[in-house]
Amino acid sequence: MRSVPDSVTERLSDLGNVPVAVPVLVLAVAYAAWRGRRRAAGAAALAMALVPALVIPFKQWTARPGPLEPWAAGYFPSGHTATAAVAYVGAALLVRPYTRRAWPTAAALVLTAATAVGLVLRGWHWPLDVLSSLLMCTPLLLGVRWAVRLSPRSTRRSSG
């Protein structure tokens, strides 16, 4: 018997669904572009577009079965974890220069970790599946970070 109810772990896992995570990144991309950081916004959008290009070939190549479905294949690496990491951390990287606070990064890390924990506790992924996704996405997020640092300062000023 599992210690965390399936309804909870399923909701945590859902944080990595495309309809949940990608809109967060889209809003951050739009905001960064509006504030004049088009290079950084483009880098974050490109990073998200590259997630399936990284994940799907590995899923097909390894054909790894899942913890609860040994007859099924394609569980390595975790696409939900990759989507969550790039969407939430990418959004935090885009928004953080305007907040000058650590909360966007903390929120992104909590959401990504919650997704990963939910996937493992629910039994949909092995811990290595989620860890490998995080490692695969690290270069993408470093690219976004690099683009954020190279982007010119905001051209729009607040009236406050």
Side-chain angles (χ1 to χ4, degrees):
M1 180 174 205
R2 290 186 271 223
S3 59
V4 180
D6 285 349
S7 60
V8 173
T9 57
E10 190 168 344
R11 296 299 180 268
L12 294 175
S13 300
D14 288 347
L15 292 170
N17 284 345
V18 168
V20 177
V22 172
V24 173
L25 181 63
V26 168
L27 289 173
V29 163
Y31 182 72
W34 178 71
R35 295 292 303 255
R37 292 187 179 235
R38 287 175 184 79
R39 177 183 297 155
L46 177 62
M48 182 53 73
L50 289 174
V51 166
L54 283 175
V55 171
I56 292 171
F58 272 97
K59 284 182 176 289
Q60 293 173 344
W61 180 55
T62 60
R64 180 179 179 156
L68 297 179
E69 298 178 343
W71 60 88
Y75 285 82
F76 177 89
S78 168
H80 281 75
T81 304
T83 299
V86 172
Y88 300 133
V89 176
L93 289 168
L94 292 174
V95 172
R96 179 125 191 241
Y98 305 109
T99 63
R100 305 229 193 282
R101 306 236 190 281
W103 71 263
T105 305
L109 295 176
V110 166
L111 290 169
T112 302
T115 303
V117 168
L119 290 165
V120 171
L121 292 180
R122 181 70 173 94
W124 284 332
H125 281 287
W126 298 101
L128 185 59
D129 299 345
V130 298
L131 180 62
S132 65
S133 291
L134 294 172
L135 293 173
M136 286 175 61
C137 292
T138 298
L140 297 176
L141 292 168
L142 288 173
V144 174
R145 182 175 168 230
W146 177 75
V148 166
R149 288 185 175 193
L150 286 182
S151 290
R153 297 274 182 212
S154 175
T155 56
R156 297 183 186 260
R157 302 275 183 214
S158 65
S159 58

